[in-house]
Amino acid sequence: MSARFAPGDRVRIAGRDPTVHNRVPRYARGHVGVIERVCGAFGQPELLAYGGDGEPYQTLYRVRLEQTDLWPDYAESPQDTLEIEIFEHWLDPA
Amino acid sequence: MAEQTHQHRPPRPDDPEPTSDYHFLGLAMRELLIEKGVFTADEERRAIEAMEARSPAGGARVVARAWTDPDYKARLLADAAAAARELGIDIGPTRLVVVENTAEVHNVVVCTLCSCYPRMLLGLPPAWYKSANYRKRVVREPRAVLAEFGTTIAERVEVRVHDSTADMRYLVVPLRPAGAEGWSEAQLAALVTRDSMVGVAPALSPDAASSARD
């Protein structure tokens, strides 16, 4: 399956707040990061959690975020980063 | 005298009964599966024994090879499952990402949503890895958490937290300690601890390793 984003692309993680199970921690929602790598296609957690087969599979990415952007009061080192796995249906170009 | 100062505390229950609906549900499911002959209690016991017998030794072998063979390290960073298989370690369907500590970057792994962990290479995760405290805090104050483990990362080094939120599992290749030049892979593997492969500690120094053996 073809990936919409490539390493280096800037993406925004969706800020939505679905009531169903998902694998996007609240702290990362709405933030902008950069694609670090494409991990492959995997079943959608929102469907797998309820007995489904996760189809259609979605491309999974690792997104690199700046800690000072994630946490406005981040008090450690300004070059610190965080990488997180996010599915394509949670990402928009930024 | 001892008789005057010795006081018994009231006994505490040491084998608490199931406390939650999920616990009861799990017990009921297990009983049904055994009653219906899906597996036997002995098979279940052996599966648990095998799971708990896994250790970080597999991960340590992978790291020691990466320290001694730059070509192997390149293959490990590109395709960790294939590189583990080269050493006879089958990690099954696990999708593994190996990240390397350098003079510029220190990596540390967490699963904020549950307790994802590369069990095929590191064994069962320690209790602290699964604790809400570690999971909540290491993403927002990683250096403070690392300091509680006794690990100080220089300000100029980037601390990179890996949140294992979906299908990948992570293993850190720690920096090779000084003073172990010319060591064999097996000797080096003894310096590679579980915690160093999660990223909360450096690998053992040769001195620390020899005093631990004494």
Side-chain angles (χ1 to χ4, degrees):
Chain A
M1 108 181 271
S2 67
R4 182 180 179 200
F5 302 107
D9 286 356
R10 278 169 59 83
V11 289
R12 181 179 294 279
I13 300 169
R16 61 176 177 264
D17 188 16
T19 51
V20 298
H21 171 84
N22 62 81
R23 299 289 299 179
V24 183
R26 232 163 257 274
Y27 75 82
R29 294 182 193 170
H31 286 274
V32 172
V34 171
I35 300 288
E36 188 268 340
R37 74 176 75 179
V38 183
C39 302
F42 295 91
Q44 295 183 49
E46 292 87 342
L47 304 174
L48 287 170
Y50 303 98
D53 55 12
E55 299 275 2
Y57 276 26
Q58 285 279 340
T59 301
L60 181 68
Y61 300 88
R62 284 167 48 65
V63 179
R64 182 173 299 171
L65 300 152
E66 302 291 327
Q67 286 283 33
T68 49
D69 175 65
L70 275 179
W71 316 102
D73 59 349
Y74 191 74
E76 299 196 338
S77 187
Q79 78 268 30
D80 290 352
T81 57
L82 180 140
E83 292 185 4
I84 187 169
E85 295 159 44
I86 303 287
F87 281 94
E88 189 166 285
H89 60 293
W90 277 83
L91 295 175
D92 289 306
Chain B
M1 298 270 89
E3 281 136 47
Q4 290 166 324
T5 55
H6 183 86
Q7 288 183 333
H8 282 287
R9 295 205 178 103
R12 279 185 303 185
D14 60 0
D15 188 16
E17 292 299 307
T19 49
S20 72
D21 289 352
Y22 292 114
H23 197 166
F24 280 113
L25 206 58
L27 291 174
M29 178 68 86
R30 173 183 181 275
E31 279 178 21
L32 280 169
L33 289 166
I34 290 170
E35 263 176 41
K36 288 183 177 295
V38 177
F39 54 74
T40 67
D42 185 58
E43 284 168 340
E44 183 209 30
R45 181 199 59 73
R46 276 187 278 138
I48 293 170
E49 192 175 38
M51 270 189 266
E52 294 187 342
R54 286 190 207 145
S55 80
R61 282 176 56 212
V62 168
V63 170
R65 173 68 61 90
W67 279 348
T68 53
D69 181 346
D71 292 338
Y72 180 80
K73 185 169 77 181
R75 294 199 295 280
L76 180 67
L77 297 176
D79 183 348
R85 268 197 304 277
E86 284 184 45
L87 302 190
I89 302 167
D90 180 5
I91 63 168
T94 302
R95 298 289 296 251
L96 185 69
V97 174
V98 173
V99 291
E100 181 192 15
N101 286 349
T102 65
E104 288 84 38
V105 179
H106 178 88
N107 297 280
V108 57
V109 181
V110 64
C111 172
T112 55
L113 297 178
C114 47
S115 58
C116 297
Y117 191 78
R119 294 168 185 232
M120 301 305 293
L121 287 170
L122 293 189
L124 293 180
W128 57 258
Y129 185 83
K130 300 186 279 185
S131 71
N133 184 304
Y134 178 77
R135 288 159 49 207
K136 281 182 195 171
R137 292 180 53 231
V138 79
V139 288
R140 65 171 302 151
E141 46 174 357
R143 289 169 190 267
V145 172
L146 291 172
E148 290 167 18
F149 282 98
T151 302
T152 306
I153 304 298
E155 175 87 7
R156 63 186 156 71
V157 175
E158 172 189 331
V159 170
R160 189 177 292 165
V161 179
H162 299 269
D163 191 355
S164 185
T165 43
D167 293 79
M168 304 289 125
R169 300 293 176 267
Y170 297 89
L171 183 90
V172 176
V173 175
L175 284 172
R176 178 175 173 162
E181 290 74 22
W183 284 30
S184 71
E185 262 179 63
Q187 287 174 310
L188 288 169
L191 303 178
V192 186
T193 62
R194 174 195 70 193
D195 289 2
S196 73
M197 291 183 280
V198 181
V200 296
L204 296 177
S205 68
D207 288 349
S210 63
S211 63
R213 276 199 303 272
D214 291 344

